[in-house]
Amino acid sequence: MFSQHFIGYWGEKREDFFTQSRRVAERKKEGEGFVFEVVYVGCDDLSVVEGSSIVGISAGGFVDFDVWVRVEDDRLILGREVFGKVPLFWSLQNHTVWFASRLELLLEILEKPEVDIDGLYGYACFSYVPTPVTPVNGVFSVSAGNEVIFNIHDVDNYQVRKIYEWCEAKEVITDENVAVSQLQILLKNAVEKQVADLKDEPVGMFLSGGLDSSTVAALLVNAGVKVRAYALDFGEFGVSEYPFAQQVAEFLNIPLVRVDASPKNIKKAIIPTVKALDLPFGDGVTVPLYLLNQVAAQETQVVFNGEGGDQLFAGWTNKPLIAAGIYQSEHPQKNEGFMQQYLRTFHRFWGYEKQVYQPEFYQQIRGLNAEEWLFDALDSRFCPGLLNRLRRASLMLKGAQNIHPRATALSFVHGLNVRSPFCDLNLAEWTFQLSGELCLQGACEKYILKRAVENLLPEEIVWRQKRGMGVPLTAWCVKNFWHDLGNWLNPGILEAENIFYPRLPAKIVTGELGGNVRGRRVGEMLWLLIMWELWYVHVLGVKQKSKSWNHPFLLPNWLWKNYQKLNR
């Protein structure tokens, strides 16, 4: 099923679904929708179901599904593979289970879609909505590596079954030469599996010039695949990685297409990105990735990326957490524990609740504990070692709930299959055998991966320090999108929605929210709010109230800054 979504239901047929589905299909005519398949399994239709699989989707276009719907005897089974590349949603309505591969499709069957409090709070903490909740009340998501099982005789009492756990291996690899040799074979096999069905057509490669994407590009070239690379150029803003992508492309002798991620193009693509994502994702990288897919779709049908490398090989974000874990073990009586330290690494609104939410909404979220979304991922029973526990958490949280599903959504909307060679189960399981020193050696992260590929790439690409994609969110927000903030985050609209304080965007810009909210954190928090508000309107379909003219974004940025100085 290529770039195709599905919606279906199981149980008592309560309405004419095909009338509902035609409303969804209208969006395809407007050029902003997607093709989808209708699946109906009624109580009396079990005998006509051939085999157990009814429908499924593969992000990369493979035979094996990334999400699936099966019927076994009198049970409906909704399943999702462990890397979380494709989402799967469900809702119980009048003893009928509705399921779909896009949240938007299920909105059609809800009488009045409303925001889910847990989902919104989770989004504000992490920049993605933690499974199994969604941002819509009464709609749930199948967590990666799980199946949700319904019995036709009692659909309201469903079961959740874990089908895979990331576990620390009993045997540990400490010999560097052995690890390098084994890893080289695993990387080669992972890529060969994902190119086996390709003929002579070129494939796209999203190339940042970082270690992970450069490694995949080199392995593709070595496998004899025709590769056409695509790299973002942020121009004068931020720290551009385009020169590094150029260096890799020249070294591998592959064409490189420059994708203009200027503020003008970002602004033009922001609402199409929100619609494509289906769920709210607050990371600034999503709109640039939309542009990459848009350009690549003009020349290919399959794209590769380097997503997953940080999760497998203990990337750069693990160093502060390791330090925090060691500190906490030595000073267990300190006020802030390891869970709180982990929550802070997301750099969003956790810990600022009283300053962020209006009183009525704050009372609703006071009983919520964001740590509960971390317990399973950081469970030491499966990974006693700190580094492996962090890698397990990164795979289950940042990978399966954020990075992979958003990459798939952005590719699917452009009719692309997306393939991530680091999402290979054999490779991933092997990494849990590595000793900590082979992953993180001194200040050098992903050490063993660098050793394994150092002969495939330029030395300065392999061993340069990781900085992450330099999306210039703060520069965009306080310069290019200053007046747009007055529309997207208008205080009149925020006040009427009764969730965030109307002056919250202004407090973020002025630094009033807290001493740590400065530099890149300003843009990250503003972007989180922008993506939520645009999702609220363009996906959930809520009509905004009248706007206020009393806000700083009405003035030119330089004039407002001078006014601030005079009033200090």
Side-chain angles (χ1 to χ4, degrees), residues 215-508:
T215 295
V216 173
L219 291 167
L220 288 170
V221 170
N222 282 5
V225 178
K226 294 179 181 177
V227 179
R228 190 171 182 83
Y230 300 86
L232 292 164
D233 186 0
F234 294 110
E236 61 181 308
F237 298 97
V239 180
S240 178
E241 294 210 339
Y242 184 72
F244 298 110
Q246 278 184 308
Q247 185 179 357
V248 173
E250 289 172 5
F251 182 85
L252 298 176
N253 194 28
I254 58 176
L256 177 67
V257 178
R258 172 185 167 274
V259 177
D260 181 8
S262 61
K264 178 184 71 174
N265 287 343
I266 293 296
K267 183 178 176 181
K268 191 186 303 182
I270 188 170
I271 292 176
T273 300
V274 168
K275 293 179 179 179
L277 287 170
D278 191 40
L279 289 168
F281 289 96
D283 284 351
V285 71
T286 53
V287 185
L289 288 178
Y290 180 94
L291 295 174
L292 274 179
N293 281 278
Q294 187 179 56
V295 174
Q298 299 170 23
E299 301 174 325
T300 187
Q301 292 184 328
V302 178
V303 293
F304 284 79
N305 61 37
E307 303 289 20
D310 277 336
Q311 287 77 56
L312 292 190
F313 296 98
W316 64 308
T317 57
N318 286 282
K319 286 190 281 190
L321 284 167
I322 292 169
I326 294 171
Y327 180 79
Q328 183 62 27
S329 66
E330 293 178 354
H331 305 278
Q333 302 307 315
K334 295 297 180 180
N335 291 332
E336 190 165 79
F338 182 69
M339 287 286 189
Q340 289 80 23
Q341 292 282 352
Y342 196 96
L343 280 166
R344 291 204 184 282
T345 65
F346 290 91
H347 303 297
R348 294 317 195 267
F349 288 137
W350 180 82
Y352 296 97
E353 285 83 355
K354 282 189 177 181
Q355 299 161 267
V356 167
Y357 303 112
Q358 293 188 44
E360 184 179 336
F361 189 84
Y362 176 71
Q363 290 302 319
Q364 291 179 285
I365 60 103
R366 281 190 67 184
L368 298 179
N369 181 4
E371 294 180 32
E372 292 181 4
W373 285 305
L374 307 179
F375 287 149
D376 186 26
L378 288 167
D379 193 333
S380 60
R381 292 177 301 168
F382 301 103
C383 291
L386 178 58
L387 188 60
N388 280 332
R389 191 155 73 250
L390 289 173
R391 294 198 304 109
R392 170 186 161 90
S394 191
L395 281 160
M396 293 176 64
L397 302 172
K398 297 173 183 177
Q401 299 186 47
N402 186 17
I403 293 171
H404 299 308
R406 76 188 184 203
T408 300
L410 295 173
S411 291
F412 270 12
V413 79
H414 291 102
L416 290 167
N417 280 327
V418 57
R419 301 187 178 184
S420 307
F422 285 114
C423 291
D424 179 89
L425 194 56
N426 290 334
L427 172 62
E429 288 179 333
W430 177 85
T431 63
F432 280 89
Q433 299 179 51
L434 293 170
S435 67
E437 293 76 13
L438 292 179
C439 287
L440 186 62
Q441 191 164 106
C444 180
E445 74 281 350
K446 296 197 281 194
Y447 173 76
I448 199 62
L449 178 60
K450 293 178 178 181
R451 283 280 287 109
V453 303
E454 61 184 346
N455 293 327
L456 301 179
L457 294 163
E459 181 180 356
E460 54 270 35
I461 294 295
V462 174
W463 296 101
R464 76 182 177 95
Q465 188 174 356
K466 169 80 173 181
R467 288 188 295 191
M469 185 174 288
V471 182
L473 291 177
T474 300
W476 288 345
C477 289
V478 301
K479 293 180 181 178
N480 305 93
F481 303 151
W482 180 259
H483 293 305
D484 297 298
L485 293 176
N487 292 318
W488 294 334
L489 305 178
N490 187 273
I493 292 172
L494 294 181
E495 184 173 21
E497 290 172 357
N498 202 27
I499 297 172
F500 300 107
Y501 273 120
R503 283 199 67 251
L504 178 59
K507 290 178 70 174
I508 292 170

Side-chain angles (χ1 to χ4, degrees), residues 10-236:
W10 156 275
E12 300 176 19
K13 188 173 181 180
R14 292 292 187 182
E15 59 181 300
D16 180 4
F17 172 70
F18 294 96
T19 302
Q20 296 282 337
S21 66
R22 278 195 293 270
R23 294 213 308 267
V24 184
E26 291 297 318
R27 295 176 188 163
K28 183 62 180 175
K29 297 177 183 177
E30 298 169 9
E32 59 180 71
F34 39 81
V35 294
F36 69 94
E37 182 170 313
V38 177
V39 180
Y40 168 58
V41 183
C43 301
D44 300 326
D45 294 333
L46 291 177
S47 59
V48 302
V49 176
E50 296 181 4
S52 61
S53 292
I54 300 170
V55 68
I57 291 180
S58 166
F62 301 115
V63 175
D64 295 333
F65 291 140
D66 292 318
V67 293
W68 56 87
V69 179
R70 298 202 313 266
V71 171
E72 294 180 358
D73 299 324
D74 55 358
R75 299 182 304 163
L76 177 74
I77 300 172
L78 310 178
R80 192 174 176 204
E81 55 80 37
V82 71
F83 290 103
K85 293 188 288 291
V86 180
L88 181 56
F89 306 99
W90 62 271
S91 180
L92 276 169
Q93 302 288 325
N94 297 323
H95 308 294
T96 296
V97 184
W98 291 82
F99 51 88
S101 56
R102 275 183 70 90
L103 178 71
E104 188 180 15
L105 287 172
L106 287 183
L107 297 181
E108 299 293 330
I109 60 100
L110 300 178
E111 186 175 339
K112 185 182 178 183
E114 295 180 342
V115 168
D116 184 82
I117 303 300
D118 294 42
L120 171 52
Y121 179 61
Y123 169 80
C125 291
F126 302 114
S127 85
Y128 61 84
V129 181
T131 60
V133 299
T134 74
V136 179
N137 191 32
V139 179
F140 302 91
S141 175
V142 179
S143 297
N146 282 265
E147 288 185 332
V148 182
I149 304 166
F150 302 88
N151 189 297
I152 197 64
H153 304 296
D154 188 13
V155 294
D156 295 324
N157 292 314
Y158 61 91
Q159 294 179 311
V160 178
R161 177 173 65 192
K162 262 285 179 70
I163 58 174
Y164 191 86
E165 288 280 13
W166 297 112
C167 296
E168 188 173 301
K170 294 180 180 179
E171 295 183 4
V172 179
I173 300 172
T174 57
D175 188 298
E176 184 175 317
N177 291 328
V178 170
V180 167
S181 177
Q182 291 181 356
L183 178 53
Q184 288 172 338
I185 294 171
L186 285 163
L187 289 169
K188 181 174 179 288
N189 291 345
V191 166
E192 287 182 348
K193 276 191 288 186
Q194 297 207 8
V195 302
D197 65 323
L198 299 177
K199 305 302 180 186
D200 226 15
E201 69 273 19
V203 302
M205 177 70 221
F206 293 160
L207 185 62
S208 69
L211 179 65
D212 300 336
S213 64
S214 299
T215 295
V216 173
L219 291 167
L220 288 170
V221 170
N222 282 5
V225 178
K226 294 179 181 177
V227 179
R228 190 171 182 83
Y230 300 86
L232 292 164
D233 186 0
F234 294 110
E236 61 181 308

